[in-house]
Amino acid sequence: MTIAEKLVAEYLDPAKGAACLTCSFQAEDMVVLHMARQIEPRLPVLFLETGYHFAETYSYRDQMTREWSLNLVNLTSGLSVAAQETQFGILHQTDPQRCCALRKVEPLMAGLAGYSVWFTGLRREQSPSRANLAAVELHRLPPGREIQKVSPLAEWTGNEVWSYLAAHGIPHLPLYDQGYPSIGCEPCTAKPQDGAHPRSGRWGGHKLECGIHTGTQEDG
Ligand code: SF4
């Protein structure tokens, strides 16, 4: 068993409390999901349904949900895309921070309320903003309650991720084949410049994180 697999098993122990995985159906998430579902096939898989994803992402999400019988939980904003655009305009162009707050951060923080363990597919190598990521961190939810955020792949390289997918015959989101190394909402995802880090194509390079990973601190 690898260190990552041991970590997954350790934090899926019911003694740690209810667990979930946030999943944008990128390669890393599929690795953690593959490890976790061998122990807990009904692990809640939280997908931030912003309404702005690529058609390919929705299609791959639905394919894998079907093939793996996933316990998919779509987390949505209280505002539909149409209502948000009518009320505030195209926020992903004018104020992406607010758009992410409405469509990602608030729904996720509410969605995490029932859990004690939050698995992610984050890796240090993905971006300078993740360079100090620890495999186990404490995350403070808005009411002040702390939960354990577990990133079993924190130390993995991209090659290790892709080797794992290949070794286990796991299909990947087809957008990777079009040259996107990091995939989020369609309006905020572009291909990075040559040699730039994988997340540099997100939000036109103006920011690196949507805000769902703020409030986290290293756990010792
Ligand atoms: S990534 Fe872009 S479209 Fe998606 S919620 Fe954030 S600003 Fe809005």
Side-chain angles (χ1 to χ4, degrees):
M1 200 184 261
T2 63
I3 292 171
E5 287 165 334
K6 279 185 193 158
L7 208 53
V8 169
E10 181 185 343
Y11 280 88
L12 280 177
D13 184 331
K16 297 278 189 190
C20 66
L21 164 74
T22 47
C23 181
S24 59
F25 290 87
Q26 293 187 80
E28 289 82 358
D29 300 325
M30 301 315 288
V31 172
V32 179
L33 179 52
H34 183 264
M35 291 175 180
R37 67 188 287 271
Q38 295 174 59
I39 300 167
E40 179 44 270
R42 298 305 294 160
L43 179 74
V45 176
L46 310 187
F47 175 71
L48 288 169
E49 171 37 326
T50 63
Y52 282 120
H53 289 286
F54 287 89
E56 290 89 338
T57 303
Y58 289 119
S59 169
Y60 176 71
R61 174 200 65 178
D62 294 343
Q63 175 198 338
M64 296 311 296
T65 298
R66 233 180 5 257
E67 290 181 9
W68 284 6
S69 300
L70 298 178
N71 181 11
L72 180 72
V73 180
N74 287 306
L75 298 178
T76 55
S77 167
L79 274 179
S80 67
V81 167
Q84 178 177 304
E85 292 186 353
T86 301
Q87 212 170 321
F88 303 118
I90 311 296
L91 283 180
H92 58 75
Q93 292 175 356
T94 59
D95 190 350
Q97 202 69 21
R98 188 164 183 209
C99 187
C100 281
L102 289 168
R103 310 209 72 75
K104 288 187 169 183
V105 182
E106 290 176 14
L108 177 61
M109 293 309 127
L112 287 172
Y115 299 101
S116 301
V117 175
W118 169 19
F119 285 102
T120 84
L122 299 180
R123 292 187 300 111
R124 285 185 198 149
E125 199 190 65
Q126 285 169 322
S127 139
S129 56
R130 297 181 179 177
N132 296 319
L133 175 74
V136 180
E137 301 179 326
L138 287 176
H139 185 90
R140 190 182 295 273
L141 295 175
R145 189 172 72 87
E146 287 183 329
I147 64 173
Q148 307 261 21
K149 186 163 90 170
V150 184
S151 304
L153 311 187
E155 295 185 11
W156 280 36
T157 64
N159 282 343
E160 286 176 291
V161 171
W162 286 97
S163 297
Y164 185 99
L165 293 184
H168 294 87
I170 302 169
H172 58 266
L173 183 51
L175 290 163
Y176 286 109
D177 300 328
Q178 295 179 29
Y180 294 96
S182 176
I183 300 149
C185 292
E186 183 170 9
C188 302
T189 300
K191 295 169 193 173
Q193 303 282 322
D194 282 349
H197 63 79
R199 285 179 68 81
S200 63
R202 304 285 291 276
W203 297 283
H206 297 301
K207 65 182 192 134
L208 294 175
E209 300 289 345
C210 61
I212 63 174
H213 298 295
T214 56
T216 302
Q217 52 193 275
E218 196 169 313
D219 183 14

